[in-house]
Amino acid sequence: MALTYEPISTTTLSSAANSITFSSIPATYTDLHLVVTTLGATGDYISIRFNGDTSTNYSWIIGGMDNTGTFQQKATGQAQGRIGNSMNSATIPTVTRTDIFSYAGSTYKTVNSTSGSDINGSGEVRVFTNMWRSTAAINSILLRGDAGANFAIGTKATLYGIKAA
Amino acid sequence: MAVSRVSTSSIKQGFPKSRSMLIGNAAYVPGAYESIATVNGTGSSGTISFSSIPSTYKHLQIRYNARCASGAITDHYIRFNGDTGGTYTKHWVFALDSGGLYTSSTTSTTPPSLGYIQGYDTYPTTGGVVDIHDYTSTSNAKTIRYLTAGDEQSTGSQGAIVVGSALWMNTTNAINQIELVLASSNWSSSSSFSLYGIKGD
């Protein structure tokens, strides 16, 4: 009997890599939840793509604050979504938690995320909302540095499935 | 009627026996996070209700993907045990597609808003996660935390992110009913709301 909230897959990097992929995602859950702890030598956003879609089907809004103040950003017609930020530290992880609602349904996909880290003198917390304008069920997820930066050794991503009654 | 053929050797060996009811199967260990109920919008009501909530969990979580049936954007509120009085507080940090990062707080207020529900797009475009802590307490007020957000782009610049906390200042009653209420319009039939229970030690 399947659990309501269970891990689907975990990837832990044993060497630097420019992406992490979850594929063959079963369509048996209601929502997906992604927990990512990133280490990075170069600060960059964590981007997300579904089903290999590189078309301009993504849009997002970001709100956040760091040690200098608050900020808000938005973009439409993007080739990928944004779910988190990776700080400039190979030893202090940034933690990102992402919800992907009704991922197997035939509607557009809403993706909400929180991300943050503090490296004792600087740091930031951000909240993201994304829209993937596709009615296809999500069967693969690609995480990558938005500008192409690598994830460092020790970066870990776990995908969970949540099943409603 | 099915007919089975039994071999001579199996008759000699006898039927398999086990001292355990599992008969070699693995035991099922339930998780700490359980699905309680799912309610869908109907297109003709602005209220979603979870009633007769069992008191067997430590915390609750509501997850939803929703839109309002009208072509507009509207607030939605959370209400416990039918309490419509000024027994709530709320604090927000929110970002709008149109620009800016804002804060908002209210005290001794009627059921607090959880954020904006959009109805311009054809599909549900607001995702929400609401955590309700220690909901069965009969000595403490009830704290909730939530993130509701969506980026609705069909009509332009209608997205929003709301991160909030709220308090139901009732210290004597466990929560046995939760309602999510639109300020106007109705929940679309494509909206879906699920209540989960989280066990504790």
Side-chain angles (χ1 to χ4, degrees):
Chain A
M1 179 177 172
L3 296 174
T4 298
Y5 187 109
E6 59 179 347
I8 298 172
S9 180
T10 295
T11 296
T12 304
L13 295 182
S14 56
S15 61
N18 62 12
S19 67
I20 293 173
T21 300
F22 297 97
S23 57
S24 302
I25 299 170
T28 49
Y29 301 99
T30 305
D31 299 331
L32 297 175
H33 188 72
L34 191 57
V35 180
V36 187
T37 53
T38 47
L39 298 163
T42 304
D44 196 0
Y45 280 105
I46 303 171
S47 287
I48 192 166
R49 281 181 178 153
F50 302 112
N51 297 3
D53 184 6
T54 58
S55 299
T56 54
N57 291 323
Y58 304 83
S59 62
W60 42 259
I61 305 170
I62 304 171
M65 64 184 302
D66 59 22
N67 49 300
T68 64
T70 62
F71 50 83
Q72 177 269 1
Q73 299 167 331
K74 58 165 279 189
T76 60
Q78 300 295 296
Q80 52 200 6
R82 286 183 176 179
I83 61 168
N85 44 285
S86 176
M87 297 298 293
N88 286 338
S89 174
T91 58
I92 300 175
T94 296
V95 179
T96 300
R97 299 181 71 102
T98 303
D99 285 294
I100 305 169
F101 298 91
S102 301
Y103 74 103
S106 57
T107 64
Y108 291 163
K109 309 304 183 290
T110 294
V111 182
N112 294 340
S113 188
T114 59
S115 182
S117 71
D118 196 299
I119 53 175
N120 193 23
S122 65
E124 55 186 66
V125 57
R126 301 187 193 222
V127 187
F128 303 72
T129 188
N130 292 261
M131 177 63 63
W132 181 45
R133 301 183 74 79
S134 170
T135 57
I138 293 173
N139 54 53
S140 73
I141 297 172
L142 171 74
L143 305 176
R144 61 188 294 271
D146 192 78
N150 280 345
F151 298 128
I153 295 172
T155 293
K156 184 173 182 178
T158 302
L159 181 67
Y160 297 88
I162 301 174
K163 178 69 174 173
Chain B
M1 183 179 78
V3 177
S4 298
R5 191 169 185 172
V6 181
S7 66
T8 304
S9 59
S10 68
I11 294 175
K12 290 179 178 178
Q13 292 170 8
F15 292 107
K17 297 183 180 64
S18 173
R19 294 186 181 275
S20 168
M21 292 290 287
L22 292 172
I23 319 176
N25 296 309
Y28 170 69
V29 180
Y33 185 97
E34 294 183 350
S35 178
I36 298 173
T38 292
V39 179
N40 296 320
T42 63
S44 58
S45 172
T47 300
I48 293 293
S49 181
F50 294 99
S51 301
S52 303
I53 297 171
S55 59
T56 50
Y57 301 98
K58 186 63 176 174
H59 311 296
L60 299 173
Q61 183 177 82
I62 304 173
R63 304 177 61 89
Y64 50 100
N65 192 27
R67 69 179 286 268
C68 66
S70 71
I73 184 169
T74 185
D75 279 303
H76 69 301
Y77 303 88
I78 191 165
R79 187 163 68 200
F80 299 114
N81 294 10
D83 185 0
T84 59
T87 54
Y88 302 84
T89 71
K90 165 205 116 208
H91 290 79
W92 278 11
V93 175
F94 63 107
L96 300 177
D97 183 300
S98 55
L101 189 71
Y102 307 95
T103 62
S104 169
S105 66
T106 54
T107 57
S108 298
T109 185
T110 50
S113 173
L114 298 177
Y116 307 107
I117 299 293
Q118 297 152 35
Y120 294 106
D121 209 308
T122 304
Y123 305 111
T125 55
T126 300
V129 178
V130 181
D131 289 302
I132 304 160
H133 299 273
D134 202 15
Y135 73 105
T136 64
S137 175
T138 55
S139 58
N140 296 330
K142 316 303 182 288
T143 295
I144 70 170
R145 302 179 307 143
Y146 47 95
L147 168 60
T148 64
D151 189 20
E152 196 282 321
Q153 290 296 325
S154 68
T155 186
S157 301
Q158 299 298 335
I161 305 171
V162 173
V163 179
S165 68
L167 185 72
W168 184 40
M169 295 185 283
N170 183 306
T171 60
T172 57
N173 298 102
I175 293 173
N176 54 49
Q177 181 189 46
I178 301 171
E179 294 170 289
L180 296 176
V181 184
L182 282 171
S184 62
S185 185
N186 299 314
W187 294 108
S188 74
S189 58
S190 55
S191 302
S192 185
F193 304 79
S194 295
L195 177 66
Y196 299 87
I198 301 167
K199 296 180 179 179
D201 288 333

